[in-house]
Amino acid sequence: MDDDGFRTERGEVRPRDRTPGALRLVVMHERGTTDHALPASGVVTVGRTDQADVTLDDTRVSRVHCSLRIGDAVSVTDLGSANGTFVRGVRLAQGETFVLRPGDVIDVGSSVLAIHARAEGVAAAWTPSAEPSGPVSGMRSDVVVEDEAMRRLHALVERVARGTISVLLRGETGVGKEIFAERIHRLSQRAAKPFLRLNCAALSESLLESELFGHEKGAFTGAVAAKPGLLESAHGGTVFVDEVGELPMTIQVKLLRVIEERRVTRVGGLHPRDIDVRFVAATHRDLDDLIARERFRQDLYFRLNGISVAIPALRDRVAELPALARLFCAEACARSGLHPVPVLRPAALDALRAHRWPGNLRELRNVMERAALLAPNGAIDVEQLGLETRPSAPGAAPATGPASSVRGEIDALERQRILEALERHAGNQTRAAESLGMPRRTFVQRLTQYGIARPRKP
């Protein structure tokens, strides 16, 4: 030991300086939540023993489990724990250090750690995972959880839901962000109150403002009566702001003010109204990149990113594919009155596992609906899935026979679905592609492939 600090049993020097900094450590466990001030800089150890700076009453945590280094960045190091320190669902090796980013998940034993700003809205948060303790509770009957990382993620959501902090859901299009938002609401103390959805990508700027904040009579052409906005209507409940990365800058400014003041003023109104809502936002965009390009406000990001939950793509949870495929197939048959539900042949399951699923759950749902309609003799084989395959070798003869006939049926059905989607969305290619669970680039390729004229912008 010296004047500047002392050395732990594992040989790490802990600084004496414990001047409170801008960050705090929030520990969530089965009995509740505890809060610990973090120093402005230095190393903080976490473990079960009193020798640790932060002591956890958790039998699955080692005596000195891990350490957090506070400086220009925040990093976590595993100190040889018995049950491991997990970040993003991956166990750190003994002595391995990982630099944390907003949204990273830390799992120590059965406890959940999160780093937040001491002053609300000053800095982003690092959020934790949780070890599953038996079956996942509060789960919708149509949700499949077969992957271990997803079990930890659902357990994390279960704990986060109990609080009031804002949640930011990250993930590719179609991974199921809305399902997680619904679950957060159902498991929260606001479950008896409204759960309202707003898709920022589906509305124009003027409609977004009116939908969010409401308007007074005569505020604009067509405003024949006063209308409360989404934020007012959801008083006491949860507002799910989907595709938050698409919010125009002018709306971002007003939403930030609402979150800070918890008051909303209708379009054309003079008097603000008090509101009490919890915000759950979702995006497939890289908000850090949007902030760097000055297309998203950093202060709004900090407000929305109280807890950040990263949802993995379907290709990263292949263990769930068979059960999800059977579930979507059964749902499609129920909607269409088809009996019995066709079974998936082993070759079809192999094809599902090999596919990259750029459209994630939406794409899988549509593939299985199509396969259920085309399945002969109560069984689904590779041909009925209609998945993209690698192009044939140069000079190879085109496929003929029954397989090519089925391919033609699939193409015809897909062409019809694309035409119907374009009609439903008034020619909007982006929205039509999203409704089909198809990436826009693939959608445009299909238009060319099937000889469908691309709608012109008005």
Side-chain angles (χ1 to χ4, degrees):
M1 187 185 335
D2 55 34
D3 293 339
D4 296 323
F6 66 92
R7 190 172 301 276
T8 70
E9 59 183 350
R10 298 185 185 275
E12 184 167 10
V13 176
R14 297 215 306 265
R16 287 285 188 189
D17 181 16
R18 287 293 179 263
T19 304
L23 299 176
R24 59 191 175 91
L25 178 68
V26 177
V27 180
M28 292 176 279
H29 44 78
E30 294 179 355
R31 293 168 300 284
T33 302
T34 55
D35 196 306
H36 307 266
L38 291 176
S41 63
V43 176
V44 174
T45 56
V46 178
R48 199 175 70 250
T49 177
D50 290 340
Q51 295 180 15
D53 295 307
V54 176
T55 304
L56 304 183
D57 183 13
D58 185 337
T59 57
R60 299 189 70 253
V61 169
S62 298
R63 296 180 68 249
V64 183
H65 194 103
C66 65
S67 65
L68 296 169
R69 183 174 296 276
I70 318 298
D72 294 336
V74 179
S75 62
V76 58
T77 302
D78 182 84
L79 300 180
S81 62
N83 292 315
T85 302
F86 293 82
V87 180
R88 301 182 188 174
V90 177
R91 181 171 180 166
L92 302 183
Q94 179 178 351
E96 181 180 359
T97 296
F98 191 96
V99 178
L100 302 172
R101 294 186 58 204
D104 278 341
V105 170
I106 306 174
D107 177 357
V108 291
S110 57
S111 298
V112 169
L113 309 181
I115 297 176
H116 296 291
R118 286 173 57 84
E120 186 181 3
V122 173
W126 287 263
T127 63
S129 171
E131 189 70 18
S133 52
V136 179
S137 63
M139 186 63 64
R140 276 173 30 171
S141 60
D142 61 344
V143 174
V144 171
V145 184
E146 299 284 348
D147 181 78
E148 188 61 27
M150 290 299 291
R151 284 189 178 275
R152 287 197 296 270
L153 189 61
H154 278 286
L156 163 66
V157 167
E158 181 180 346
R159 297 188 181 193
V160 167
R162 300 169 188 166
T164 59
I165 194 168
S166 298
V167 181
L168 178 63
L169 302 172
R170 298 171 179 264
E172 296 178 6
T173 298
V175 294
K177 295 187 287 292
E178 185 169 350
I179 292 174
F180 278 91
E182 291 175 357
R183 186 159 185 259
I184 289 170
H185 175 70
R186 284 198 312 275
L187 294 174
S188 74
Q189 296 179 356
R190 299 171 178 263
K193 298 294 184 178
F195 175 78
L196 297 180
R197 303 166 177 83
L198 178 73
N199 190 327
C200 301
L203 298 172
S204 65
E205 183 172 343
S206 58
L207 283 176
L208 263 173
E209 184 173 17
S210 177
E211 287 296 315
L212 268 175
F213 310 119
H215 61 258
E216 298 291 357
K217 180 179 180 180
F220 50 83
T221 303
V224 296
K227 176 189 173 184
L230 188 66
L231 301 178
E232 280 185 70
S233 302
H235 184 75
T238 304
V239 174
F240 175 48
V241 187
D242 198 8
E243 300 298 353
V244 71
E246 310 301 326
L247 274 177
M249 291 296 287
T250 54
I251 304 296
Q252 291 181 34
V253 174
K254 295 181 179 180
L255 181 59
L256 174 64
R257 187 178 302 119
V258 168
I259 296 174
E260 289 176 338
E261 300 176 358
R262 298 292 165 174
R263 306 178 81 188
V264 61
T265 303
R266 295 179 180 177
V267 177
L270 300 176
H271 305 292
R273 303 164 186 266
D274 293 335
I275 60 166
D276 172 24
V277 297
R278 183 185 195 177
F279 288 92
V280 177
T283 183
H284 72 282
R285 305 286 295 274
D286 183 346
L287 294 186
D288 293 323
D289 177 62
L290 293 181
I291 291 170
R293 292 190 286 135
E294 299 185 348
R295 294 180 58 184
F296 199 87
R297 293 183 62 96
Q298 188 176 49
D299 45 8
L300 177 60
Y301 169 73
F302 290 153
R303 290 289 187 179
L304 294 174
N305 189 27
I307 289 284
S308 184
V309 177
I311 305 172
L314 182 57
R315 60 183 169 275
D316 296 325
R317 38 179 164 135
V318 178
E320 297 186 345
L321 264 172
L324 283 168
R326 295 185 183 103
L327 171 65
F328 293 156
C329 185
E331 289 179 345
C333 289
R335 287 192 298 269
S336 304
L338 300 175
H339 301 284
V341 176
V343 298
L344 279 157
R345 295 193 185 279
L349 285 172
D350 290 341
L352 291 176
R353 295 187 183 99
H355 189 59
R356 294 295 293 167
W357 300 109
N360 291 291
L361 295 181
R362 288 181 189 164
E363 183 184 3
L364 177 61
R365 188 185 296 273
N366 286 317
V367 165
M368 295 315 301
E369 182 173 1
R370 178 175 57 202
L373 293 172
L374 297 176
N377 304 319
I380 295 174
D381 217 325
V382 178
E383 291 81 3
Q384 286 81 51
L385 296 177
L387 298 174
E388 289 185 4
T389 57
R390 294 178 181 175
S392 303
T400 59
S404 62
S405 175
V406 171
R407 177 74 251 182
E409 292 180 34
I410 293 173
D411 288 346
L413 180 60
E414 186 169 56
R415 186 180 191 277
Q416 183 60 34
R417 289 171 61 84
I418 289 174
L419 289 171
E420 291 173 355
L422 284 170
E423 183 176 355
R424 282 197 308 272
H425 297 285
N428 187 307
Q429 298 171 54
T430 300
R431 293 175 61 185
E434 289 177 352
S435 70
L436 294 173
M438 187 182 296
R440 192 179 187 281
R441 181 179 298 177
T442 303
F443 184 83
V444 172
Q445 291 173 348
R446 292 289 194 275
L447 295 182
T448 302
Q449 177 183 341
Y450 297 137
I452 301 173
R454 295 183 61 179
R456 294 181 177 276
K457 295 182 179 181

